[in-house]
């Protein structure tokens, strides 16, 4: 254990955010000047300039954005903002357990948007007067709809036999790349387990948690999985980064997740490696200055550890 963890480049090009960071200030200026319709339409351009042009009406007041397996319809008028996104069709049997899950999601984690049932189909919806379309609020609404639609659709299809309303537009990787990605996953997990066992033998429990967190983000960055794999990975990352439970408990859950992934068949894992057309990327973007400022504290701490020859902590 005299070397740092291996770093893996992203090779799938599926984790690039389409957000036009520089356009955000223009959106805010529209809103501050009470040009509410222009601000809201501008927010959609900010979110995904390419799709904004491709899927918007000529007058840019109506849009139908594909995002994974949902179809997001957005209407912007001088008076109103409306977003409606088709989600899933109820299964033929055992609908009650699924509807209970939907009711729970409407309480949390959804904040403003809700999931409704109409004609045996579930869909997300939010509507408000145009003057209340604060850019930060509308971004959060679009982000949470896309995020939780992605997070729950494959899970509910697998658990409750729900049906897709729209089939996602996906592009499969070549078999050789699929095998390469799967092999990398196993290598990443095995490396993490070796480091965790080593640090446990030294009773350096906090370092064990660091390895879990680094490994989760490494899987996300290098493999960029989709489908149910992505949903489980995001839940694990959210738990690890927000939980107040002791390090040992978090490390235990992390190891359970790694073992589950390793014991899942290669064919099932490979099914979740593909490119997909998304309106809102799950990944954030920032300006260079914001990124540097956010990393300053970490850089200063690592520099101090390096100068003290505390190589492991660094």
């Amino acid at each position: 254990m005299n070397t740092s963890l291996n770093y893996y480049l992203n090779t799938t090009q599926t984790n690039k955010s389409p957000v036009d960071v520089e356009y955000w200030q223009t959106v805010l200026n529209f809103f501050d000047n009470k040009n509410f319709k222009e601000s809201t339409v501008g927010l959609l351009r900010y979110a995904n300039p390419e799709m904004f042009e491709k899927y918007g009406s000529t007058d840019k007041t109506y849009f139908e954005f594909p995002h994974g397996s949902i179809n997001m319809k957005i209407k912007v008028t001088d008076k109103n903002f409306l977003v409606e996104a088709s989600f899933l069709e109820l299964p033929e049997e055992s609908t009650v357990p699924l509807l209970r899950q939907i009711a729970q999601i409407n309480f949390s984690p959804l904040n403003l948007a809700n999931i409704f049932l109409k004609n045996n189909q579930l869909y997300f919806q939010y509507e408000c007067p145009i003057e209340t379309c604060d850019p930060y609020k509308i971004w959060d609404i679009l982000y949470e709809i896309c995020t939780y639609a992605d997070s729950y659709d494959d899970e509910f299809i697998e658990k409750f036999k729900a049906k897709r309303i729209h089939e996602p537009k996906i592009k499969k990787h070549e078999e050789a790349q699929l095998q390469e990605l799967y092999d990398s996953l196993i290598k990443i997990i095995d490396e993490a387990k070796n480091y965790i066992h080593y640090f446990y033998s030294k009773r350096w429990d906090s370092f064990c948690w660091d390895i879990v967190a680094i490994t989760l983000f490494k899987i996300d960055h290098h493999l960029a999985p989709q489908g149910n794999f992505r949903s489980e990975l995001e839940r694990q990352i959210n738990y690890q980064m927000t939980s107040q439970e002791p390090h040992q408990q978090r490390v235990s859950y992390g190891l359970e997740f790694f073992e589950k992934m390793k014991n899942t068949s290669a064919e099932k894992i490979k099914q979740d490696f593909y490119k997909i057309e998304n309106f809102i990327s799950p990944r954030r973007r920032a300006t260079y200055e914001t990124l540097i400022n956010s990393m300053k504290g970490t850089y200063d701490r690592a520099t101090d550890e390096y100068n003290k020859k505390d190589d492991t902590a660094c």
Side-chain angles (χ1 to χ4, degrees):
M1 297 299 165
N2 294 321
T3 59
S4 62
L5 291 158
N6 285 302
Y7 172 72
Y8 292 79
L9 287 167
N10 173 267
T11 57
T12 65
Q13 295 299 307
T14 56
N15 63 355
K16 182 180 179 181
S17 172
V19 166
D20 182 0
V21 176
E22 303 301 330
Y23 197 70
W24 179 248
Q25 190 57 51
T26 301
V27 174
L28 295 180
N29 290 341
F30 277 137
F31 187 78
D32 290 342
N33 292 324
K34 301 188 184 306
N35 297 318
F36 303 120
K37 181 179 177 182
E38 290 81 355
S39 172
T40 306
V41 172
L43 176 69
L44 302 179
R45 180 197 178 282
Y46 157 83
N48 198 316
E50 183 178 341
M51 282 196 177
F52 176 82
E53 297 297 337
K54 185 177 179 181
Y55 295 110
S57 61
T58 304
D59 61 358
K60 295 296 184 285
T61 59
Y62 181 75
F63 304 83
E64 287 195 24
F65 296 117
H67 181 89
S69 63
I70 69 171
N71 186 38
M72 180 175 284
K73 299 178 181 180
I74 297 176
K75 188 175 183 180
V76 185
T77 70
D78 293 330
K79 295 183 178 180
N80 271 66
F81 168 81
L82 170 67
V83 53
E84 184 174 297
S86 53
F87 184 36
L88 292 169
E89 186 173 319
L90 293 183
E92 295 177 1
E93 299 179 355
S94 303
T95 60
V96 173
L98 172 56
L99 292 175
R100 283 175 178 160
Q101 289 281 300
I102 296 300
Q104 182 175 326
I105 292 169
N106 277 339
F107 279 107
S108 176
L110 291 180
N111 290 312
L112 291 173
N114 279 129
I115 303 174
F116 293 85
L117 176 64
K118 181 170 66 176
N119 297 328
N120 218 43
Q121 294 182 343
L122 298 165
Y123 62 97
F124 292 84
Q125 182 177 305
Y126 180 79
E127 185 175 12
C128 68
I130 195 68
E131 63 269 19
T132 66
C133 287
D134 178 276
Y136 290 98
K137 181 183 82 171
I138 299 303
W139 170 260
D140 285 344
I141 290 166
L142 298 178
Y143 186 84
E144 76 173 15
I145 289 175
C146 291
T147 297
Y148 294 118
D150 273 346
S151 179
Y152 290 111
D153 60 349
D154 292 286
E155 178 183 341
F156 290 165
I157 289 169
E158 187 169 319
K159 287 173 61 175
F160 304 115
K161 309 303 179 186
K163 302 174 183 177
R164 296 192 194 281
I165 298 174
H166 301 281
E167 286 299 321
K169 299 178 181 179
I170 65 175
K171 182 179 179 182
K172 291 285 187 180
H173 300 305
E174 297 293 331
E175 180 57 35
Q177 187 177 19
L178 290 174
Q179 187 61 47
E180 183 181 330
L181 291 170
Y182 176 75
D183 291 343
S184 294
L185 173 65
I186 300 303
K187 289 178 183 177
I188 290 169
I189 290 174
D190 285 344
E191 181 184 48
K193 289 170 63 178
N194 287 336
Y195 273 83
I196 289 170
H197 292 150
Y198 170 75
F199 286 136
Y200 262 146
S201 72
K202 299 288 187 179
R203 301 187 185 280
W204 296 343
D205 290 4
S206 62
F207 284 156
C208 294
W209 179 82
D210 286 330
I211 299 300
V212 169
I214 289 169
T215 301
L216 290 170
F217 284 112
K218 186 187 297 186
I219 291 172
D220 185 29
H221 173 68
H222 175 57
L223 305 176
Q226 305 293 335
N228 202 48
F229 189 165
R230 155 128 249 114
S231 300
E232 293 191 39
L233 177 63
E234 286 179 344
R235 275 197 288 274
Q236 184 65 218
I237 288 174
N238 184 61
Y239 164 75
Q240 294 292 344
M241 302 310 294
T242 62
S243 174
Q244 299 300 311
E245 292 183 331
H247 280 126
Q248 286 186 329
Q249 185 64 61
R250 284 186 276 170
V251 172
S252 177
Y253 284 155
L255 283 170
E256 286 180 14
F257 175 75
F258 296 150
E259 281 299 311
K260 180 180 180 180
M261 291 298 102
K262 191 171 180 180
N263 292 330
T264 301
S265 71
E267 290 309 310
K268 186 172 177 59
I269 291 289
K270 289 178 184 179
Q271 288 176 5
D272 288 336
F273 293 146
Y274 52 82
K275 294 182 180 180
I276 191 167
E277 194 170 24
N278 282 331
F279 172 52
I280 301 286
S281 170
R283 290 159 179 81
R284 303 285 191 172
R285 284 190 71 180
T287 62
Y288 177 79
E289 292 75 15
T290 301
L291 184 63
I292 293 302
N293 290 335
S294 69
M295 295 184 69
K296 187 179 185 306
T298 302
Y299 174 80
D300 290 343
R301 188 173 73 248
T303 301
D304 182 58
E305 291 163 342
Y306 178 79
N307 291 333
K308 292 177 179 177
K309 306 299 182 185
D310 190 356
D311 297 331
T312 303
C314 178

